[in-house]
Amino acid sequence: MSSSAPSTPSAADPVDAITAQWATVRPDLDTVPMAVFGRIYRLSGTMAQRIDRAYKPYGVSRGEFDVLATLRRAGKPYTLSPRRLSETLMLTTGGMTGRLDRLERAGLLSRSPDPHDRRGLRVTLSERGLEVVDGAVGAGLAVQREALAAALDESEAEQLAGLLRKLLNATGA
């Protein structure tokens, strides 16, 4: 992260225009929450598009990346049950099955019987899947790092991460 990133207040943005309009028609409203969450929503959408573009050369969508990344973070042998994947990614079993089908057809993972449960399956990252997820995570992080460095120095980025953690924990998410 560059320490030469600007630390002065930024120019007005579209959220400022929205909160100014509310201040005109409803001056009794405290629009700070709207300003905070409006920016989080807009930032999330913008970064999702950028990260999608970063993953595209690896042949995976963000949702598919999430499956591969969950298996990768599990450590060797990069294996989890479909149920554990669904719980971690907060997906329905139907949604998970569709992702697993696509990733298996692409040769990025395999499904096999669980040796400890006759009714269960195990999902395992393939060597190709490992290569894809390792490349994609680097590409996605580069996009995120670039966005942070354009506006914040390292200390500000760490402070923002801490404040967002505090807010996320307070919401129970």
Side-chain angles (χ1 to χ4, degrees):
M1 186 106 41
S2 168
S3 60
S4 62
S7 60
T8 57
S10 303
D13 65 16
V15 175
D16 288 320
I18 292 166
T19 56
Q21 289 169 332
W22 278 113
T24 300
V25 298
R26 288 287 310 273
D28 58 307
L29 295 177
D30 171 13
T31 59
V32 171
M34 183 185 295
V36 169
F37 290 103
R39 288 185 177 101
I40 289 171
Y41 297 145
R42 286 171 179 260
L43 184 58
S44 176
T46 296
M47 291 308 297
Q49 290 173 357
R50 290 181 186 182
I51 290 170
D52 281 342
R53 285 193 300 271
Y55 292 162
K56 189 171 183 165
Y58 298 91
V60 293
S61 68
R62 239 178 328 131
E64 292 163 345
F65 169 83
D66 288 344
V67 172
L68 299 176
T70 301
L71 290 167
R72 177 68 166 109
R73 292 190 318 267
K76 285 187 177 185
Y78 313 119
T79 300
L80 292 170
S81 69
R83 171 182 272 170
R84 180 76 176 130
L85 283 166
S86 292
E87 290 169 356
T88 300
L89 297 173
M90 296 183 290
L91 281 175
T92 64
T93 54
M96 179 56 65
T97 298
R99 285 186 192 178
L100 294 177
D101 288 346
R102 287 188 300 277
L103 291 166
E104 189 171 37
R105 278 193 305 272
L108 302 178
L109 57 77
S110 63
R111 287 180 274 199
S112 59
D114 185 333
H116 306 293
D117 179 357
R118 288 185 304 163
R119 298 174 299 156
L121 287 175
R122 306 296 290 164
V123 179
T124 303
L125 194 60
S126 69
E127 281 297 317
R128 176 76 183 125
L130 182 61
E131 292 171 11
V132 166
V133 72
D134 281 351
V137 73
L141 279 171
V143 167
Q144 294 167 13
R145 187 176 299 108
E146 180 181 312
L148 284 173
L152 306 173
D153 64 30
E154 192 170 333
S155 173
E156 290 170 324
E158 289 174 8
Q159 181 181 15
L160 178 59
L163 291 170
L164 290 171
R165 179 186 309 108
K166 186 176 181 179
L167 183 58
L168 188 63
N169 286 334
T171 65

